[in-house]
Amino acid sequence: QVRLVESGGGLVQAGGSLRLSCAASGGTFSNYAMGWFRQAPGKEREFVASISWRSSSTYYTDSVEGRYTISRDNAKSTVYLQMNNLKPEDTAVYYCAAQFRGIARKDQSSNEYTYWGQGTQVTVSP
């Protein structure tokens, strides 16, 4: 059973930056595709970014391309989401997700991931 714990959320002004971290335990981290999703109030959970387990290839939804960077440190069993030039519409609870030897691709469904963290709140003020 993989356990995921997110951290790094908070309140930031528009144009600012945050770095989210997701620490994994209970599995061989390098074997897991990792994803970040977000859910704003009243909206469905949506894909943000993913990174493959084999080649660390990265994928982003269009609205964050060029502003967000997903990365992983297999030695630390941690995946990161660097978020720059944040906008009020980025406000949401951000979740990390893991899938054993899963496929990482653009605009994935949340159904493609088995393991989820508890989420961390990101609030961007105008």
Side-chain angles (χ1 to χ4, degrees):
Q1 188 77 4
V2 173
R3 182 169 180 254
L4 304 174
V5 179
E6 302 99 333
S7 61
L11 173 64
V12 64
Q13 287 188 329
S17 298
L18 284 173
R19 188 176 83 153
L20 305 183
S21 300
C22 173
S25 60
T28 302
F29 182 73
S30 59
N31 282 336
Y32 286 79
M34 301 298 297
W36 284 97
F37 290 74
R38 66 187 180 187
Q39 187 166 17
K43 295 187 176 181
E44 293 187 355
R45 191 170 298 189
E46 65 172 359
F47 171 86
V48 175
S50 62
I51 185 166
S52 66
W53 66 275
R54 188 190 295 271
S55 64
S56 291
S57 298
T58 58
Y59 306 88
Y60 302 91
T61 194
D62 287 347
S63 63
V64 308
E65 184 87 50
R67 300 189 296 122
Y68 288 16
T69 302
I70 187 172
S71 62
R72 65 190 300 157
D73 184 336
N74 288 338
K76 295 183 178 180
S77 297
T78 300
V79 63
Y80 304 97
L81 186 69
Q82 177 67 43
M83 306 184 295
N84 297 329
N85 190 22
L86 282 160
K87 304 175 180 181
E89 52 264 41
D90 295 320
T91 295
V93 177
Y94 283 70
Y95 298 90
C96 73
Q99 180 61 34
F100 180 74
R101 295 187 178 179
I103 295 173
R105 59 181 181 86
K106 184 179 177 70
D107 293 332
Q108 291 183 274
S109 166
S110 59
N111 293 335
E112 297 179 50
Y113 288 86
T114 300
Y115 302 102
W116 291 83
Q118 82 289 349
T120 186
Q121 177 71 47
V122 172
T123 302
V124 184
S125 62

